[in-house]
Each structure stands twice: as C-alpha cells, then as structure tokens.
Amino acid sequence: MPGGAVDMEAVGGYEDILRNGDAWLRDSASEGRDGLGWINLPARDIAGVEETAKWISGFDAMVQVGIGGSALGNLMLHGALLPPYWNELPRSKRQGPRFYMSDNVDPADNRMIWNLIDPEQTVFTVISKSGSTAETMANFLFFWDRLKVDLGPKKAAEHVVVITDEEKGVLRPFADEIGCRRLVLPADVGGRFSVLSPVGLLSGAALGISARKLLEGAAEMDRRLAERNTVFENPAWLLAALSVAHYRQGRNMTVLMPYEDALERFCEWFAQLWGESLGKNGTGSTPVRALGAIDQHSQIQLYTEGPDDKLFTVMTVAEPAEEITIPETEEKALVSLSYLFGQSMNSLRRYEALSTAAAIAKSGKPVVSIEIPKLDERRLGAMIQFYEHVTALAGYLLDVNPFDQPGVEQGKNYTYGLMGRPNYSAQALEVTELAEK
Ligand code: PA5
C-alpha cells in the first residue's frame, strides 16, 4: 500500500456498521432522543425566528452573547455568506445591523463593544443552551447592567432576546421576569449541532441571510444522503470511514484547509464539532484549522515533510463571489511578473489549492479534495448537514457518544466551584488539589 493510502477494502468493510449507524441516527432523531434533534432542524417551523429577525434588522447594531456552540455557528454563517468587513460597510450597503460577538470573557473586548454601540439602537441576544455557562452569564451581566443604567429596566428589556432551553438554567425564568423576547433552543439539539436552530438562524436572518434557503439546502443534503446506502456512493459514509481508517492508521489529526477567506470560520465551527464530539475515552483525531494560501507560507513544510500523522482536506469554491484580473504594468523592474499579467486572481488561488493537494500527495500523505460549487445559503446549509452526519457517523464507528461533552462540563463545574457557586465547593477543592500536584 503506498504511503498516504488506506486499504479501500477496509474502508468498504465499514459499510454494514455505517448502515446500522445511519439507521440508528435517523430512528433516534424521530424518537426525539437527546442530541439527535439536529437531523430534524431543517423541517422545524422558523416563523418566530423570521419575525424576530425582521424586527432586529431595523437596528443599527446587534450584540450576541454566547460561547462555543452558541457563537461559532453564527460567526461561520456570517463569514461565509456576508461580504467581508461587514461592520465597516455603510448602512445603505448592509441589509442588517452591525454585528458583535461577546464570547470570550475579555473585559477589553466587552468594554470596546459597549463603546462602539448606541444602546438605544442595539439589540442584545443572549444564547445559552444550558442557561448557566459562567462566561456567557458574566458577559451578559455586564451588558445588562449597562443597558439598565442607560435605558432604565423596562426599556432595557425591550432590547434583549433570550435563546435557551425551555426547562434548564436561569435564562428562561429571567426572560419571563423581565418580559423580553425569547426563542426556544430545542431540548434534543446539542450546542455544537445547533447552528440551524434559532441559535444560528436568528442573527443570520437579521443580517439578510435566508434562513429558509439554509434549511432547504440542509434538507436536500439529508434527502440525498438517505437515498445512498453504499460506502462508495454516500459521501458522508465515505468521509466518516476514511477519517476513521486513517485515524486507526496513526493519523490522529485532521486538517481542514479551505482556500477561501469566507470559510475560515467554517474551520472554527468544524473544529468544535469534530473535537468535542469525538474526543472521548482516549480516542478522537485532533482538528486543525488551516487557511490557503496563507498556510502554504506557514504550515506546508510541516504538512509535506513532517510526520505522517494527518489526514488533509483541501476545500475550494468553484464559483467565487468576486473576481479580479491581475493588472499589467509597464515598469521594467516588474517585467518578470508578466506571467501574472491578465490572469484571474481566482485561477491563481485554484492553482495554489491544486499545488498544495499535489505536494501533500507527492509526499505520501492522504488528502481529500472537496469543491463547493458556490457559497450560497443552500450549499452552506448542505455542507453543515453533511459535516454533522460525518461527525455523528465517525462517532458511531469509534464507539463514542458524539452528543455529550463530559470534559467541557467538568471544566464548567471547576469554574463554578472556583467562583464560589453554591453546591460546587467539592469541585473547587478538587481543582485546587490538582493544581498543587
Ligand atoms: O456543544 C456544546 O454543548 C458546548 O460546547 C456548548 O456549546 C458551550 O459549552 C456553551 O454552552 P451553553 O450554550 O450551554 O452556554
């Protein structure tokens, strides 16, 4: 077997287990089993999301407070579907408000966001599935306090939208107490699988992205995957099988390298989906975010001549949103650049992607190429659904539960303990003892 290859018979050998896994996912989703609700999101009613988004679209700014699955999907959608430098565009060129994400607990960021917005003209969405995450709560408490000081409690509540679980956490009762708008994050949808729920759709739709088309694309992908039941016909089965086969051959990293700035945040979203879903019980490949062509000038040396411990995916877009023809110029000093004159900047980018894939293959490392015809709502919705299927199926093959995150919960509990939350003192003690070791 040449370097970089896996035994395709072994990949084909995953077919029966993938068939079982696929049936299990779909059956569990229709039974409403915890964590599987993402499969049904394309069919859910989004009238409430659209109505709230329409209201938000008239404001000057939108601040979202959330972290992890309550933030990364939004940034991914905006990155892929909105023009770059969105906040700097004049209002006449934007179909919605400026957008700010308060995810990390960083006083400098939060203070700057507050300084950049006019509270009278801003909507704050606070998103937390659990309704208790310390980072989100701390950031929200800061904005809520400032809002009340500036607008008074009653008016402040008119500028807040809560997205949370129907039952869990403090946000739902908080929304009832202050009387603000509220959208439900379905109980059977986990954080990192929630981008096609109100979590991702609300800010997307408020900024002019069609939530309906995203869901149509996801539904279409779901339908097409459901129709194909061999490993070499079903691309989600194939990528899950390849990923696991390479992982079992010692390639414990998976590098996602799009050649499109608009997909940089897709890598962030994917990294959470893949890492948090599969990293369990001593198993799981580490997701690595890369961006072409930038990482050609940073990481390719390692990728080609470093250890054979990675599976690469190079991602391109066939019909990019913009084109520039590289201009000619007459200076003698630049004559050696004439090979570029008159060429398309997108061709250069395509050749870069091709060269990278070829260089990786030549070095004997495995590379998957994915071409997206065009970056629009339908295709992005399809890509989201596709990668969610791949991740869930890879979890099934690896025999881990892709829908829980005990490691994340552990970290949250230690933080609660250290910050003095009642009933978490044992956690505080444990973390202090571990730190002293
Ligand atoms: O996927 C997950 O469940 C997590 O990464 C969460 O998205 C993250 O911890 C934020 O949690 P919450 O939305 O409950 O505030």
Side-chain angles (χ1 to χ4, degrees), residues 16 33 92 96 105 165 167 189 250 295 316 325 369 375 400 420:
D16 287 342
R33 194 179 294 185
S92 58
V105 261
D165 189 90
E167 306 276 328
V189 179
D295 279 307
T316 50
T325 302
S369 292
L375 259 188
V400 297

Side-chain angles (χ1 to χ4, degrees), residues 67-70 128-130 133 136 191-192 272 276 405 408 412:
I67 197 165
S70 298
S128 176
K129 160 92 179 165
S130 60
T133 304
T136 300
R192 59 192 171 277
Q272 186 203 8
E276 216 169 284
Q405 54 287 324
V408 178
K412 286 186 183 185

